[in-house]
Amino acid sequence: MASKRIMLLGANGQVSQALRAEPIPTDWQLGAYGHAECDITDHRMVQETIQNFKPDLIINTAAMTAVDKCETDHAQAIAANFNAPANLAAQCSTLDIPLIHLSTDYVFDGADRNTPYATEDMMHPVNMYGDSKMMGEEAIRHTHPFHVILRISSVFSAYGTNLLTKMLQAIETKDELKIVTDQICAPTAAQDVARALIKITETLMHGKSGGYGTFHLCGTPAVNRLEFSQAMMDAYAPFTAKRPQILPALSSDFPGFAARPPYAVLECSKIRDVYGINQRPWREGLDEAMQILMQGRRQVA
Ligand SMILES: NC(=O)c1ccc[n+]([C@@H]2O[C@H](COP(=O)([O-])OP(=O)(O)OC[C@H]3O[C@@H](n4cnc5c(N)ncnc54)[C@H](OP(=O)(O)O)[C@@H]3O)[C@@H](O)[C@H]2O)c1
C-alpha cells in the first residue's frame, strides 16, 4: 500500500507534540517540521520543504500564539498568522493537496453572548492575535477550496508552555493567585485536537467529499477561568504540598494585558455530523494530561 505523506508544521508546539504522541496510522509517513526546520514566514523555505517532502496533505499547527506579544509585535503576528497561512494555501492550491489549519475562538468578540458560536457566525476579534488569525482564515478560504479550518479553544496539555503547565508552575511558586471570573472558556485537551486532526486527515485521504470548510472543537462544559484553575489545582493536589489561595479578579484588574473575549465557547455539532468527532469533557483530558506529566516526572526522578 502506498504511504500517505503528511507534513506537520509547528511540530514542537503543544498540539503537534500531542499528535506525535498518538498512535498514527501505519501507512502515514509523517514529515514533522519545527520552527527551525521550517519557518512558515520564510516562503522560500516553505516551498523548498514542500518540494523535498512532497506531501499529500499539510497540517499547519504553527502560529504566533502569545496573545499579549501579538499586541506589541504586529508585524510578527501578521507574518505568522496571516501571510504564512495565505502562502501555504497558495502552495497547496498549486499542488492540489488539502490544507488543515488551526484557528481560534478568539476570532469572536464574546460580547453580550451566552450561547456557543456557530462556524458561520460573524467574526469580530478584540485583539491583534484574533485579528491576525481571522485574516489567516480568510486568506485560506479565498485561495484554496480544499481546506479544513479547525477552530479550537483554550488548549491545555502536558507539553510545552500552556494553561496547565503555567498553572502547575504558579502553584509551586506563588502563595496567592488572582484569576478572572469574567472570561468564560471551553478548555480543550491538545490530545483531543490531535485525535481530531488524525481522523480528519484519514477521512480526507480516503477521498471524502463534503469534508472541507470551517469546523469547531472544544471541551465541555464551559467554565470561567477561575473554575478551570481550581480544577487544575485539584487535579495536581495529590502530587504537591502547595496550595496557593485563589482570589477572584476581573479582567479590568489586569490593564496591561490584551483584551480577551468575555465568552469564548464554540458550537461543535458540525464536526460531529461530518466527521463523527464528539466533544469530550475537559476533566477527562485534564486527568490524561496529568498522567502524562506525572509519568514524565517519575521517569526523570
Ligand atoms: N493554545 C491555545 O490555547 C489555542 C487556542 C485556540 C487556538 N489555538 C491555535 O492552535 C494552533 C496550535 O496552537 P498550540 O497551542 O499548539 O501553540 P504552541 O504550543 O504555541 O505552538 C505553536 C508552534 O508554532 C511555532 N511557530 C511560531 N512561529 C513559527 C514560524 N514562523 N514558523 C514555524 N513555526 C512557528 C512555535 O515555535 P516557537 O515556540 O519556536 O516559536 C510553536 O512550536 C495555533 O494555530 C493556535 O493559534 C491555540
Side-chain angles (χ1 to χ4, degrees), residues 97-162:
I97 57 169
L99 171 65
I100 303 179
H101 174 78
L102 291 177
S103 191
T104 171
D105 50 352
Y106 276 25
V107 295
F108 300 116
D109 63 19
D112 302 320
R113 181 92 190 193
N114 57 14
T115 54
Y117 281 99
T119 51
E120 64 276 13
D121 278 341
M122 199 183 72
M123 292 184 277
H124 185 239
V126 297
N127 57 36
M128 189 59 204
Y129 169 70
D131 259 335
S132 60
K133 292 292 288 185
M134 176 183 72
M135 289 191 276
E137 284 194 11
E138 291 290 48
I140 292 171
R141 277 189 202 100
H142 285 115
T143 310
H144 186 37
F146 302 136
H147 68 258
V148 167
I149 294 170
L150 179 61
R151 294 194 189 119
I152 54 179
S153 170
S154 302
V155 182
F156 65 88
S157 70
Y159 310 108
T161 306
N162 61 74

Side-chain angles (χ1 to χ4, degrees), residues 165-233:
T165 54
K166 277 198 259 189
M167 183 67 189
L168 301 198
Q169 199 184 14
I171 291 170
E172 291 299 340
T173 54
K174 303 252 165 68
D175 297 324
E176 227 176 58
L177 299 174
K178 280 170 96 179
I179 317 266
V180 299
T181 54
D182 58 354
Q183 289 174 28
I184 312 285
C185 63
T188 310
Q191 223 64 52
D192 292 345
V193 180
R195 286 172 194 141
L197 289 173
I198 292 170
K199 190 159 190 186
I200 292 168
T201 301
E202 271 298 273
T203 311
L204 294 179
M205 288 286 90
H206 281 100
K208 179 182 173 65
S209 60
Y212 295 104
T214 303
F215 295 86
H216 286 171
L217 184 67
C218 64
T220 58
V223 279
N224 70 40
R225 295 269 171 205
L226 185 143
E227 290 166 327
F228 185 50
S229 298
Q230 249 153 2
M232 290 189 281
M233 201 182 260

Side-chain angles (χ1 to χ4, degrees), residues 9-16 34-36 38-41 60-65 76 80-81 101-105 129 133 151-156 159 161-163:
L9 295 168
N12 299 319
Q14 61 166 332
V15 169
S16 274
H35 198 158
C38 185
D39 181 339
I40 60 166
T41 65
N60 179 37
T61 72
M64 182 169 176
T65 58
Q76 190 54 28
N81 296 345
H101 174 78
L102 291 177
S103 191
T104 171
D105 50 352
Y129 169 70
K133 292 292 288 185
R151 294 194 189 119
I152 54 179
S153 170
S154 302
V155 182
F156 65 88
Y159 310 108
T161 306
N162 61 74
L163 290 173

